[in-house]
Amino acid sequence: VVKSRRCLLSSAYTDPAVWEQRPRDAQDLGQLASLMDRTYARKFPVSSLVIARFVDNLSSKEEVDQAQYYLYKFRHSPNCWYLRDWTIHSWIRHCLKYGARDKALYTLKNKVWKDVRLCFHFIHYRAEVWNINVFLKKVSSAQQGCIYLLKNTWQEERNVGASLMLAGLKQENSVGFSARLLGLALIGKVELSRGIHAVFHEMPLIWTSGYLGRALAVMDAVCDFRDIKLSEEVLDHVEKILQDLSVNADGQNVTDTPLEEEDELETQKLPEYINRFKELKERLVSQDRIDSRSLESLVSALTQQTLAACENADIAEYQQTVSVWEAELQQLIQRERETKEKNQKSV
């Protein structure tokens, strides 16, 4: 398994200053826990403000463990839909701060938290803290990532292919066309070896045959673009895919289920695809449309060109989000104060 540290983003994404400069609402966790226990015992719902205060005042790994219990109770209470976005933001920050990354990851992955919404800045922040290699759909629509095609299963090849193709469609440059080409070729490999149904099953892909043909259409289109080049590494991968299909598949299905008629017809086009690829590659060479850099290098170069401006926009958006959260929090505090005053007057 190839592992690589993701370090494109600046330190601004892990700088806690914006979050920690919010006004502090110091609370006693013991009293809050006792209040929630009594409330649940009386079959009453705990308010989102109480659970928010509890999470905001965590200060150790042990308290994080305790908070998980109360978050779980809240998510299964009548008030479950009122769990605030900033509470989850604060919860995950505390998990990372006090060495409970497993709890943060569980929160994000578990279906119980499926309505959790995170601002885009925090998605970046979480990825940076975990040092995860991701194929992002942003950096102002500049895709970035690392691609490893090492003995993948056919499902992994299909999934990677779909990710590359869909991301590549958002870029009208060398990165976009190279990603599109490789993605379509990987999907086409699955199509010819397992049939079109294996391609679109539970995937956001069309069920029309001819993915390898669409890959070659990308090469053809690049020949007509003045400023677009294809990664030499990507072309090598596509050539290897066609060779593997020719040698290993040889028109035979690798599954136990016979291929349908349209799949058989597509398989018969393989020699035509191979010849067409060779012709298009010669055209690309003659027109100087091949870039010697890898797709990863092309992505990194494009990212560095636009990263600063995109980070500034993300951070400004994050600051605005925190301001909105703080305003909502103050409204809840004011509402709580008014309710207490009203109850005191009625006594």
Side-chain angles (χ1 to χ4, degrees), residues 250-269:
D250 194 22
Q252 295 180 359
N253 183 20
V254 298
T255 66
D256 296 331
T257 305
L259 291 175
E260 297 183 3
E261 182 178 354
E262 63 176 332
D263 295 325
E264 291 285 0
L265 293 174
E266 186 65 22
T267 301
Q268 293 172 12
K269 295 179 182 179

Side-chain angles (χ1 to χ4, degrees), residues 173-277:
N173 49 36
S174 297
V175 170
F177 277 87
S178 295
R180 216 178 300 175
L181 170 60
L182 182 54
L184 286 167
L186 286 169
I187 299 171
K189 178 182 178 181
V190 175
E191 179 188 354
L192 260 66
S193 59
R194 293 184 171 269
I196 189 64
H197 182 78
V199 168
F200 67 79
H201 180 64
E202 297 184 347
M203 290 292 291
L205 298 170
I206 62 174
W207 51 84
T208 306
S209 301
Y211 277 91
L212 280 178
R214 296 184 191 104
L216 298 178
V218 172
M219 296 177 63
D220 192 21
V222 171
C223 293
D224 298 327
F225 281 92
R226 181 175 302 175
D227 300 323
I228 303 295
K229 293 185 177 182
L230 290 175
S231 166
E232 184 176 12
E233 176 196 55
V234 168
L235 288 170
D236 291 342
H237 276 306
V238 175
E239 186 172 19
K240 181 66 166 55
I241 288 172
L242 291 171
Q243 290 174 351
D244 290 345
L245 287 172
S246 178
V247 173
N248 299 330
D250 194 22
Q252 295 180 359
N253 183 20
V254 298
T255 66
D256 296 331
T257 305
L259 291 175
E260 297 183 3
E261 182 178 354
E262 63 176 332
D263 295 325
E264 291 285 0
L265 293 174
E266 186 65 22
T267 301
Q268 293 172 12
K269 295 179 182 179
L270 181 57
E272 176 186 340
Y273 288 148
I274 294 174
N275 292 332
R276 181 62 174 157
F277 173 82

